[in-house]
């Protein structure tokens, strides 16, 4: 019996030492909580898993693309940017990676950041001949403009965003005005969201620019239409994305690379956390549903992260070992 008790005490001690060693190996970690919803929720998911599953001491810091990248590149902090849209900082990031300061750990969004022109799925189901943007333009009667019912509408990207330029150029390139369409500016992202919600409530046509992952696409079933051509980066950089380009051509939106980026020092000091961030990823459909729940319930990023962990265990438990999953579940 004494041997059994001694063995048990030894095992408990070894487990405790292993836990302490794991915590010591993970140490203090700072994570950028970006100021848009999907990235904010991702940061909170990382915090919950790393803190409760791996014993890391996690601090969240407010982030945005350029300030966070600049701070990581020049000061080596924060340690992790969970959701960085790397095309926005591509040249500087490539230089930082080649010089050993930063690491592109892994894609966070398995299907990347997606932009395009969309229509409601109920409309696509009712009109199966509409597969492309060009197909939709043959049906101006399905997309009445909000202020002038004699015209059809294509809803533009929110004012002041870069996508407003590309949408306007594509509207021009595809000859939409000659086909009876007007380009509608809703004034803001909230206005654009409201136009989609209104279309679904009234079961009327809607046609325009949107992107994923977002709460709107998690709440309302939309179909992205093809432009019928591949993405031409040279044309995009030289004209599609340039304001008032004289002769834009039909082009497709690029799929944006969305990666978790970490500092080189972090990768060296926290191998446990590094293994985790290289493994985990989620898709736009799941993120959209989580964001839709967050919007409907007026939840915080932390609320949405806990909702994800409780609702999608089949997804996230594949990112971690069984014992880590048990610890995380116990913390929720």
């Amino acid at each position: 019996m004494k041997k059994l008790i001694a063995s048990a005490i030894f095992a408990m001690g070894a487990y405790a030492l292993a836990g302490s060693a794991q915590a010591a190996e993970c140490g203090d970690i700072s994570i950028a909580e970006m100021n848009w919803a999907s990235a904010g929720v991702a940061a909170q998911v990382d915090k919950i898993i790393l803190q409760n599953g791996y014993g890391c001491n996690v601090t969240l810091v407010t982030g945005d693309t350029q300030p966070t990248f600049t701070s990581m590149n020049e000061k080596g902090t924060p340690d992790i940017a969970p959701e960085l849209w790397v095309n926005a900082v591509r040249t500087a990031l490539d230089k930082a990676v080649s010089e050993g300061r930063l690491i592109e750990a892994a894609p966070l969004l398995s299907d990347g950041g997606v932009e395009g022109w969309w229509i409601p799925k109920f409309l696509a189901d009712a009109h199966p001949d509409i597969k492309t943007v060009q197909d939709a333009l043959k049906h101006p009667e399905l997309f009445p403009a909000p202020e002038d019912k004699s015209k059809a509408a294509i809803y533009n990207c929110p004012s002041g965003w870069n996508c407003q330029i590309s949408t306007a150029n594509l509207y021009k390139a595809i000859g939409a005005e000659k086909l009876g369409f007007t380009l509608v500016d809703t004034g803001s992202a909230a206005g654009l969201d409201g136009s989609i919600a209104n279309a679904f409530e009234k079961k009327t046509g809607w046609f325009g620019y949107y992107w994923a992952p977002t709460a709107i696409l998690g709440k309302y079933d939309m179909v992205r239409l093809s432009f019928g051509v591949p993405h031409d980066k040279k044309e995009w950089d030289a004209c599609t994305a340039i304001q008032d380009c004289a002769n834009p051509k039909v082009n497709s939106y690029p799929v944006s690379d969305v990666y978790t980026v970490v500092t080189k020092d972090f990768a060296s000091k926290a191998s446990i956390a590094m293994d985790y961030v290289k493994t985990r990823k989620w898709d736009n459909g799941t993120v959209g549903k989580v964001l839709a729940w967050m919007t409907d319930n007026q939840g915080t990023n932390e609320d949405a992260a806990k909702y994800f962990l409780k609702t999608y265990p089949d997804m996230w438990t594949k990112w971690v070992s069984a014992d880590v999953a048990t610890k995380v579940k116990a913390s929720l």
Side-chain angles (χ1 to χ4, degrees):
M1 179 60 74
K2 286 182 179 179
K3 286 184 177 179
L4 288 175
I5 293 174
S7 297
I9 292 173
F10 175 79
M12 291 173 64
Y15 180 82
L17 287 172
S20 299
Q22 188 178 75
E25 186 176 356
C26 184
D28 297 331
I29 294 175
S30 56
I31 301 175
E33 186 176 15
M34 301 296 204
N35 59 5
W36 62 90
S38 59
V41 175
Q44 290 283 352
V45 168
D46 285 349
K47 179 184 179 183
I48 292 170
I49 290 179
L50 291 172
Q51 196 159 268
N52 297 288
Y54 293 94
C56 307
N57 182 27
V58 179
T59 301
L60 295 179
V61 297
T62 301
D64 200 348
T65 302
Q66 291 294 346
T68 295
F69 171 77
T70 300
S71 180
M72 292 177 73
N73 190 26
E74 297 180 358
K75 300 177 182 178
T77 184
D79 294 306
I80 307 174
E83 184 185 308
L84 190 70
W85 291 57
V86 298
N87 289 348
V89 293
R90 172 51 71 190
T91 302
L93 176 60
D94 286 347
K95 186 171 188 291
V97 170
S98 67
E99 294 176 355
R101 292 187 299 280
L102 300 178
I103 295 172
E104 285 186 76
L108 175 65
L109 297 177
S110 58
D111 37 7
V114 178
E115 302 174 87
W117 290 11
W118 310 67
I119 63 174
K121 187 174 184 298
F122 66 78
L123 201 66
D125 290 342
H127 299 273
D129 59 310
I130 300 178
K131 302 293 186 187
T132 67
V133 168
Q134 291 86 342
D135 293 336
L137 293 173
K138 297 175 183 175
H139 293 281
E141 75 282 0
L142 297 178
F143 308 102
E147 303 296 335
D148 183 355
K149 303 301 181 187
S150 68
K151 291 190 175 182
I154 294 173
Y155 287 84
N156 203 343
C157 164
S159 299
W161 294 17
N162 289 342
C163 47
Q164 187 181 32
I165 297 171
S166 55
T167 303
N169 280 330
L170 291 170
Y171 169 82
K172 182 178 178 181
I174 210 154
E177 185 173 9
K178 294 179 180 177
L179 297 172
F181 285 78
T182 185
L183 193 58
V184 175
D185 181 1
T186 57
S188 65
L192 183 62
D193 290 358
S195 70
I196 294 174
N198 186 58
F200 273 80
E201 289 172 6
K202 297 181 178 178
K203 293 295 180 186
T204 58
W206 190 96
F207 182 24
Y209 171 90
Y210 216 79
W211 71 100
T214 45
I216 283 289
L217 292 183
K219 185 172 185 178
Y220 299 113
D221 208 354
M222 304 271 281
V223 174
R224 185 162 63 105
L225 300 179
S226 167
F227 277 86
V229 295
H231 172 64
D232 183 339
K233 186 177 187 306
K234 184 177 180 181
E235 167 69 13
W236 188 275
D237 293 340
C239 179
T240 314
I242 302 300
Q243 189 160 15
D244 299 325
C245 178
N247 186 30
K249 297 180 174 59
V250 178
N251 205 343
S252 289
Y253 288 86
V255 176
S256 297
D257 291 332
V258 182
Y259 272 68
T260 295
V261 173
V262 304
T263 63
K264 187 67 175 294
D265 287 346
F266 164 78
S268 300
K269 74 180 182 182
S271 59
I272 290 176
M274 189 64 188
D275 290 343
Y276 162 73
V277 299
K278 287 168 67 177
T279 302
R280 62 100 171 82
K281 66 178 65 174
W282 51 2
D283 59 274
N284 283 329
T286 301
V287 180
K289 290 174 183 174
V290 171
L291 297 182
W293 177 91
M294 183 178 172
T295 299
D296 290 344
N297 293 277
Q298 298 182 327
T300 63
N301 291 338
E302 183 179 7
D303 294 335
K306 290 180 177 177
Y307 170 77
F308 165 74
L309 292 169
K310 292 176 181 175
T311 309
Y312 298 93
D314 291 346
M315 177 178 289
W316 70 264
T317 55
K318 294 177 181 174
W319 305 341
V320 299
S321 63
D323 64 318
V324 168
T326 299
K327 294 176 188 175
V328 173
K329 288 179 179 178
S331 72
L332 299 176

